[in-house]
Amino acid sequence: MNVKTWFEEGTKLKIKELRYLKPPKLPYFLYINRTFNRGADLLNNIIENNITIERYSETNNDEDLKEIQTVNEFLNKNYYEFETQTEWLDSEGMYGTFWVLEPILEKIRKESEI
C-alpha cells in the first residue's frame, strides 16, 4: 500500500513518511506504516498495514480544524475505522493531531492469479 498516494489523492493534502533529519515547516502531516506479512503456511500473501497519521501545527484555528475535518471525512467516507486525538505538545511547543487506523489488510496475488 502506497500510503503517500492513498492519502494525497484522497485528501488533496501533502504528507511525508516519518523519516527526516530536519522537520518540515509547520503545519505538516507525517505517517508511519508498520507492516506485517501473514497468511497460510508457506504462503504469506496477506499484508497487514498499521497506519498512524500525524499532523503538527503551531495553531489550532479554523484552517487547522478544516484540514483535520478533511482527513476525518476521507477516512469515514472510505469506511476506515480509526481513533483521533488532538493535544498540545508542551515539550515541542505545538499541537499534534493523531489518527490511529485499524489494520488495513491487502492480499498479494501470485502471478498465476492475475
Side-chain angles (χ1 to χ4, degrees):
M1 170 176 219
N2 184 330
V3 176
K4 181 175 175 51
T5 301
W6 164 80
F7 182 85
E8 289 182 350
E9 287 179 359
T11 64
K12 308 299 184 231
L13 299 168
K14 297 289 182 193
I15 194 168
K16 294 184 177 203
E17 187 171 5
L18 180 63
R19 57 178 185 186
Y20 56 80
L21 298 175
K22 182 179 174 189
K25 182 181 171 195
L26 293 170
Y28 60 87
F29 284 92
L30 300 174
Y31 73 89
I32 303 165
N33 185 12
R34 294 176 194 85
T35 59
F36 301 96
N37 290 352
R38 62 185 203 186
D41 294 343
L42 303 177
L43 185 61
N44 285 333
N45 64 340
I46 297 173
I47 298 176
E48 179 180 313
N49 295 281
N50 296 280
I51 300 170
T52 301
I53 299 169
E54 304 174 359
R55 182 186 186 279
Y56 296 96
S57 175
E58 291 177 317
T59 59
N60 197 20
N61 60 28
D62 289 343
E63 188 62 32
D64 296 307
L65 298 175
K66 181 179 173 187
E67 285 190 351
I68 291 168
Q69 185 62 30
T70 298
V71 175
N72 288 339
E73 288 173 1
F74 165 67
L75 296 173
N76 281 322
K77 180 177 78 173
N78 291 288
Y79 303 104
Y80 294 113
E81 293 185 30
F82 62 95
E83 293 181 23
T84 185
Q85 176 179 344
T86 299
E87 59 187 68
W88 173 253
L89 306 171
D90 206 29
S91 62
E92 303 295 328
M94 66 179 83
Y95 287 94
T97 302
F98 308 95
W99 292 265
V100 179
L101 282 66
E102 291 291 319
I104 299 172
L105 302 178
E106 292 180 280
K107 182 175 182 183
I108 302 171
R109 296 181 175 255
K110 296 188 304 187
E111 292 293 326
S112 60
E113 293 179 12
I114 299 176

